[in-house]
Amino acid sequence: MSPTSTPTDLLLTIAEPTRLRILNCLAAAPLFVSDLQVILDLPQPTVSRHLRVLKEADVVRDTPIAQFVLYRLRRDGGVRQRVLTAVLDAVGMDEQMKAERHLAADRSRSNPRVRMVTQTESLA
């Protein structure tokens, strides 16, 4: 899917339950694949496959850090951003999603690699 796809295409992409759970976690904080594996209790190939689809849909972006890759939501504004924000706000009411979002925030805060990247980006 390209960034020029329709809001309907976006909804179809993010409606897949694993992708929605990943986006929910990334709404809380930037995360590595290993973080998502732990939070969602999924194997690495599954997480990576869904992240690739989300990246192709231009919903997430990645930042390589040594041998790791940090993923975060793409915040570009526009219709796509409004659709994604509305969906994530709605799923944030679900108890499981709230718990996963909380775990994501905690895991991100405790990861020294994330702190190093966010500090470097804020200085740039």
Side-chain angles (χ1 to χ4, degrees), residues 16 29 37 47-48 60 63 70 80 88 93 104 106 110 116:
E16 197 286 326
Q37 283 178 254
V47 173
S48 294
V60 300
T63 304
L70 184 68
R80 296 170 60 76
L88 291 173
M93 301 300 177
D106 288 347
S110 67
M116 180 179 67

Side-chain angles (χ1 to χ4, degrees), residues 9-59:
D9 293 332
L10 175 63
L11 285 169
L12 290 170
T13 299
I14 65 176
E16 197 286 326
T18 300
R19 286 186 217 131
L20 190 56
R21 290 175 68 206
I22 289 170
L23 290 170
N24 179 59
C25 290
L26 293 177
L31 297 166
F32 294 96
V33 172
S34 58
D35 297 323
L36 289 164
Q37 283 178 254
V38 171
I39 296 163
L40 303 175
D41 192 28
L42 294 170
Q44 179 272 322
T46 300
V47 173
S48 294
R49 182 177 67 249
H50 287 292
L51 282 167
R52 181 177 37 80
V53 171
L54 292 169
K55 186 176 174 197
E56 288 171 359
D58 210 28
V59 178

